[in-house]
Amino acid sequence: MRSLFTRVGFWIQKVIDFFYPPFRKFMTPQLFRYGACGAFNVVLDWVLYFLVYNFILEYRIIDLGFIALSPHIASLIIIFPFTTLTGFLLQKYVTFTASELRGRTQLFRYIIVVFSNLAINFIGLKLLVDGLDFYPTPSKMLITIVTVICSYIGQKKFTFKTSSQNGVEEI
């Protein structure tokens, strides 16, 4: 299965790299790939959030018996596993391919960063939607800007750390 992911990741990387030359002066190939993969995952996140919130939950509160979830928080929880998986696979096999850390270590660290972002999402949605009465989907989009910045730093420096980030020069 890893071989399939590696091959598909290489193909996606080549497609993304085709569009890289105009951006060469402004960013590294890794940052461009991160942006492309991240943009795909963000759009997927927004589309799934919109569909779940509007058409699956239909704006209803989800009563689990021990807790009632507002539709915007329930939507966030429902889409979380899907975008977490696609995000990890894209970052591992397309963006941060030089990391020598074991896959399970990367996944564990990725989940730590993602849960940090989930906390930012939760707090941000509660503040913007419940506290300031903003619309849920635009609120989610605003919060995404904050989480993208936090995520890139976390993924590059922690999850997919390379030996050159440990003080050892890469050859």
Side-chain angles (χ1 to χ4, degrees), residues 2-145:
R2 183 183 319 155
S3 176
L4 173 65
F5 287 139
T6 302
R7 285 194 310 257
V8 171
F10 180 75
W11 179 81
I12 293 170
Q13 191 179 71
K14 292 302 169 195
V15 170
I16 292 170
D17 288 352
F18 176 79
F19 297 98
Y20 174 66
F23 300 93
R24 183 176 286 132
K25 294 179 183 178
F26 308 108
M27 63 184 72
T28 64
Q30 183 184 59
L31 182 58
F32 186 76
R33 290 177 193 143
Y34 179 83
C37 292
F40 172 81
N41 213 44
V42 164
V43 170
L44 177 65
D45 180 68
W46 290 347
V47 168
L48 290 175
Y49 184 86
F50 177 82
L51 293 173
V52 169
Y53 180 80
N54 289 291
F55 299 109
I56 295 174
L57 298 180
E58 297 176 329
Y59 323 107
R60 292 182 303 232
I61 292 175
I62 305 301
D63 187 359
L64 300 175
F66 61 95
I67 190 170
L69 298 174
S70 58
H72 55 278
I73 298 301
S75 298
L76 177 68
I77 292 168
I78 290 168
I79 65 168
F80 176 76
F82 298 104
T83 56
T84 299
L85 180 62
T86 58
F88 175 73
L89 293 173
L90 286 169
Q91 297 311 329
K92 178 175 177 51
Y93 292 104
V94 177
T95 303
F96 298 107
T97 58
S99 177
E100 297 171 2
L101 294 173
R102 295 183 68 180
R104 78 179 104 185
T105 301
Q106 291 173 339
L107 180 59
F108 178 74
R109 290 179 176 196
Y110 187 84
I111 289 172
I112 290 172
V113 173
V114 167
F115 271 105
S116 300
N117 286 334
L118 184 62
I120 293 168
N121 269 286
F122 178 81
I123 292 165
L125 284 173
K126 292 303 271 181
L127 175 69
L128 293 175
V129 177
D130 295 337
L132 300 174
D133 205 27
F134 289 160
Y135 289 104
T137 302
S139 295
K140 177 76 168 97
M141 291 174 169
L142 287 172
I143 296 162
T144 298
I145 295 168

